[in-house]
Amino acid sequence: MKKTIAMLFTASLATLSSGAIAFEFPANWSEWKGVNTTLTGIGALPGCEADVSSLPPIYQETVATYCALREGGPGKVNILVAPGSESNYQKRDGHFSDGPQMALHLIDLKAIMFTGYSNGLPVYRTYGEDGKNLTNAMPQLSEETCIVCHTGYEAFCLNGQCGTAK
Ligand code: HEC
C-alpha cells in the first residue's frame, strides 16, 4: 500500500515537472466570443488531398499537420477569445494574463485547442467539448507540436499568438 502511494506521488511529480502546471478546462468556453481571422475566412481545415499551394506556408503546414485527423479533414473551425481579452487579442503581440485565453474550436471534431498563459508564457492544451483532456491523445495534439508553429514561425506568431491582423 505504502509503495503504491509513493509511486503515485513520484508519478505526479514527474507530470508537474514536465510542465503540467497550466490551466483548467474553461467550462464557459462556449460563451467566448468568435473573431474573424484568415482561418475563419477559409472556414474549415480541408483533407490531405486539398490543393493549398496558394496559402501562406504556415497555413499549408497547418493543413499538412491536421488533415489526417479525420477522413476528409478536420472540417469547420472557429477562433474564440476569452471574455475580457478581446482587446489584447487584437494587438496580436501575445501579451495576456495567465489562464486560458484563445481557442481554436474544431467544431466537427468536438475538440478545442487552447492557448493559455502561465507566468506570461504560452501553454497549449487540447480538450474535448466535454472537458476531456486530449493533449496527449495523439502526437498532433501534443504541446511539442503546437510549439513547432506557435513559437517556430516567429514572423507570424508572437509569444504563442498567431495570425495576421485583419
Ligand atoms: C502547423 C502549424 C500549427 C500547429 C502545429 C498548431 N497551430 Fe495553432 N494556429 C496556427 C495558425 C496558422 C493559426 C492562425 C489561424 C488564423 O486564425 O488565421 C493558429 C491559431 C491558433 C489559435 C487561435 C489564436 C491564435 O494564436 O491565432 C489557437 C488557440 C491555437 N492555434 C492553438 C493551437 C494548439 C493548442 C496547438 C497544438 C495542439 C496548435 N495550435 C498547433 C498554426 C498551427
Side-chain angles (χ1 to χ4, degrees):
M1 183 66 182
K2 258 187 191 158
K3 202 174 180 185
T4 319
I5 292 170
M7 278 159 55
L8 278 176
F9 186 64
T10 315
S12 64
L13 271 185
T15 318
L16 285 177
S17 62
S18 71
I21 310 167
F23 50 79
E24 298 295 319
F25 174 71
N28 71 341
W29 68 270
S30 62
E31 294 155 26
W32 290 19
K33 249 183 136 180
V35 289
N36 293 324
T37 71
T38 304
L39 185 60
T40 63
I42 299 168
L45 284 167
C48 302
E49 70 293 343
D51 178 6
V52 290
S53 54
S54 63
L55 298 178
I58 190 173
Y59 286 88
Q60 294 186 32
E61 191 168 333
T62 304
V63 173
T65 305
Y66 293 106
C67 65
L69 282 189
R70 188 180 69 152
E71 181 89 39
K76 283 206 234 59
V77 292
N78 202 3
I79 307 263
L80 306 166
V81 178
S85 293
E86 292 88 353
S87 62
N88 295 55
Y89 176 85
Q90 297 304 343
K91 289 188 204 145
R92 309 236 183 209
D93 58 7
H95 285 297
F96 290 91
S97 51
D98 284 359
Q101 294 289 358
M102 296 173 280
L104 199 171
H105 186 195
L106 299 166
I107 297 167
D108 295 336
L109 296 183
K110 301 189 188 309
I112 312 153
M113 295 175 170
F114 288 99
T115 301
Y117 289 80
S118 176
N119 295 320
L121 294 173
V123 178
Y124 307 94
R125 292 289 180 270
T126 301
Y127 289 97
E129 288 181 354
D130 56 2
K132 190 172 175 218
N133 192 341
L134 302 175
T135 307
N136 292 313
M138 50 185 88
Q140 294 99 317
L141 303 181
S142 76
E143 201 166 22
E144 288 74 19
T145 302
C146 316
I147 289 168
V148 169
C149 289
H150 283 258
T151 301
Y153 276 84
E154 289 174 326
F156 195 74
C157 306
L158 269 177
N159 199 33
Q161 182 181 14
C162 293
T164 47
K166 242 197 139 176

